[in-house]
Amino acid sequence: MKPLSPYRAASEGFRLIWREPRAVFAWMALWFATFSAAAWAVAISPGPARFGGRGDSLGDIAARFGTFGGLVVMLFLAVWLVTAVAAFRAVLHPAERRWFYLRVGLDEARLGVLTFAAFLVAAALGGAPAYLVLVLASPLMHAVPALTRDIATGGALVTVWIDIWLGVRLSLIAVETFSERRFHLSAYWPVTGGRFWYLLACYLLFFLIFLGITGLSLGVGSVLYEIAVTQVGNGDLVRRGGLLLIAGALAVLTAGSWALSWTIFCACQAYAFRDIVGEGRDGVAPA
């Protein structure tokens, strides 16, 4: 039994990019088209889009894209579903590379149902850990009022840790559902049993990779933006053309960094699941 390697899991996305560059480029192109459609929807919608609002509901998010907000949100969700499943498929079933691993079928539908169910559960029970900690800490806060601030801080840290623990333990639900091709409710919790620290290390390594991709993207983007700002108001046709090219480069950069981040994250999850399942469960062969 080989030891589990968080580094191998977190870097699986780079190996996938190296092995299937055309597929990853196709996913990036799909995300670019999606971001372009969102920008187009904002541009043609009557009235200003409500960016900067405080609402976090699906309705508030949709409203920020104007008249076509609902369609844009559904488009983002659909593209996320097909590209996430494509990354799972590329790692777990690399021979199924037809259409760059992209499909619209039952695998994607199951993930859509799972996402909707997770959204409902999070909306209904998302505050449960914080409420439970508050109930347990309230008697102590009343008994020792001088330590109320310290107890509240400790309670907040405990709440965050509970949320992290639950998130990590349930983090392989999507890839498990794809691999089993069913809603295998009895397997979601056990599959990560005894693997919390391994998965947490995987996600921490991915977070460092994400920071690197985001930082590089923001750095290049800021340079391009500064160049674009210096051209605003200039009537020269060539420079206006250059401004359009810079705007296009910014759009490609945004879509590319987003697509790469999601690809690396989904590949990390798929590899981690394959490693865990390969230790003792049937269904997926280890690498």
Side-chain angles (χ1 to χ4, degrees):
M1 182 174 62
K2 67 177 182 179
L4 301 179
S5 170
Y7 169 78
R8 292 283 298 177
S11 60
E12 173 65 12
F14 294 106
R15 291 190 294 275
L16 173 60
I17 294 169
W18 178 261
R19 189 182 77 241
E20 302 289 349
R22 291 188 298 174
V24 176
F25 179 79
W27 305 343
M28 292 173 62
L30 190 58
W31 275 113
F32 173 74
T34 304
F35 277 102
S36 298
W40 176 80
V42 171
I44 68 172
S45 295
R50 295 188 297 174
F51 285 99
R54 295 183 179 181
D56 292 324
S57 69
L58 286 178
D60 293 324
I61 295 172
R64 298 174 189 176
F65 292 97
T67 306
F68 304 98
L71 292 176
V72 171
V73 171
M74 293 302 296
L75 177 62
F76 268 93
L77 178 59
V79 173
W80 173 77
L81 289 174
V82 297
T83 52
V85 174
F88 293 157
R89 186 176 289 115
V91 174
L92 299 179
H93 306 292
E96 299 180 8
R97 57 172 51 89
R98 180 171 56 89
W99 295 104
F100 306 112
Y101 298 100
L102 295 169
R103 309 282 193 278
V104 178
L106 290 178
D107 290 331
E108 291 73 18
R110 277 188 289 266
L111 183 55
V113 171
L114 198 63
T115 302
F116 181 70
F119 175 80
L120 294 180
V121 171
L125 303 176
Y131 179 75
L132 178 61
V133 171
L134 178 62
V135 169
L136 294 176
S138 291
L140 186 59
M141 295 171 70
H142 284 93
V144 192
L147 298 178
T148 296
R149 177 174 295 182
D150 294 332
I151 296 172
T153 301
L157 293 175
V158 170
T159 300
V160 171
W161 181 251
I162 292 175
D163 288 336
I164 291 174
W165 179 71
L166 287 174
V168 171
R169 285 299 309 270
L170 297 173
S171 63
L172 298 184
I173 286 179
V175 66
E176 167 88 6
T177 301
F178 166 76
S179 176
E180 297 285 345
R181 287 187 162 89
R182 58 172 173 156
F183 297 110
H184 198 179
L185 300 180
S186 63
Y188 292 148
W189 188 260
V191 75
T192 57
R195 301 296 172 225
F196 172 80
W197 294 109
Y198 163 66
L199 289 171
L200 182 62
C202 291
Y203 298 143
L204 288 176
L205 287 174
F206 164 75
F207 182 68
L208 294 177
I209 294 171
F210 173 75
L211 287 180
I213 294 174
T214 303
L216 180 61
S217 177
L218 290 176
V220 175
S222 63
V223 172
L224 292 176
Y225 178 78
E226 289 297 325
I227 295 174
V229 167
T230 62
Q231 302 301 319
V232 173
N234 195 305
D236 184 78
L237 183 61
V238 175
R239 292 189 177 182
R240 285 182 178 273
L243 182 59
L244 290 176
L245 289 176
I246 291 174
L250 285 170
V252 171
L253 187 65
T254 301
S257 61
W258 177 275
L260 285 177
S261 297
W262 271 114
T263 296
I264 293 171
F265 179 71
C266 291
C268 172
Q269 287 192 313
Y271 186 94
F273 173 76
R274 185 176 63 187
D275 252 10
I276 293 172
V277 169
E279 288 190 316
R281 286 181 50 197
D282 296 329
V284 179

